[in-house]
Amino acid sequence: MNPVRQCSRTACVRPAVSTLTYVYADSTAVLGPLAHLAEPHSYDLCAEHAERLTAPRGWEVVRLSPKFVESGPSPDDLSALADAVREAGRAPGNAEPDDVTEVGRRGHLRVLRADQR
């Protein structure tokens, strides 16, 4: 999974820096900062496509930010990633009850048997 959202334009692989939405009732295209979540009725654009955006004749483009700059991971993102790696690397606790023993293994699958008491 790629954690960076890409530009919605066909064949563009640059990271998205802005989100484009349409207000059809007002014939307006709104170009703002990158939304936190990808929405099905909006388009994520890279800096180049955001700057070159034009609207159909009779439509207005509202730009909520004069410049869209690609931003890398923030210190919070890196801290969250480090925490996730630490959590995944911790030794798992004993998930089986005491009366269960492993009697076989094939690849990642294990055969367990409950001891009869």
Side-chain angles (χ1 to χ4, degrees):
M1 181 178 116
N2 190 356
V4 176
R5 294 194 333 238
Q6 291 182 342
C7 183
S8 296
R9 296 291 301 259
T10 305
C12 183
V13 295
R14 290 184 290 268
V17 296
S18 63
T19 299
L20 172 66
T21 55
Y22 293 103
V23 182
Y24 293 97
D26 298 331
S27 299
T28 304
V30 180
L31 189 63
L34 186 64
H36 292 287
L37 298 173
E39 295 290 330
H41 300 291
S42 63
Y43 303 91
D44 296 333
L45 299 176
C46 66
E48 180 181 337
H49 286 122
E51 289 178 18
R52 294 186 353 197
L53 176 76
T54 60
R57 186 170 294 162
W59 282 60
E60 180 183 359
V61 176
V62 175
R63 296 178 187 271
L64 299 178
S65 179
K67 285 282 186 188
F68 297 102
V69 180
E70 182 180 333
S71 63
S74 72
D76 291 339
D77 294 336
L78 296 176
S79 295
L81 178 61
D83 292 341
V85 169
R86 271 191 228 97
E87 185 68 29
R90 288 194 177 117
N94 189 5
E96 292 88 25
D98 292 335
D99 63 340
V100 174
T101 56
E102 181 178 329
V103 295
R105 181 179 283 269
R106 175 174 265 174
H108 67 282
L109 302 174
R110 300 183 310 155
V111 178
L112 304 175
R113 179 175 52 215
D115 297 329
Q116 302 296 327
R117 289 186 184 206

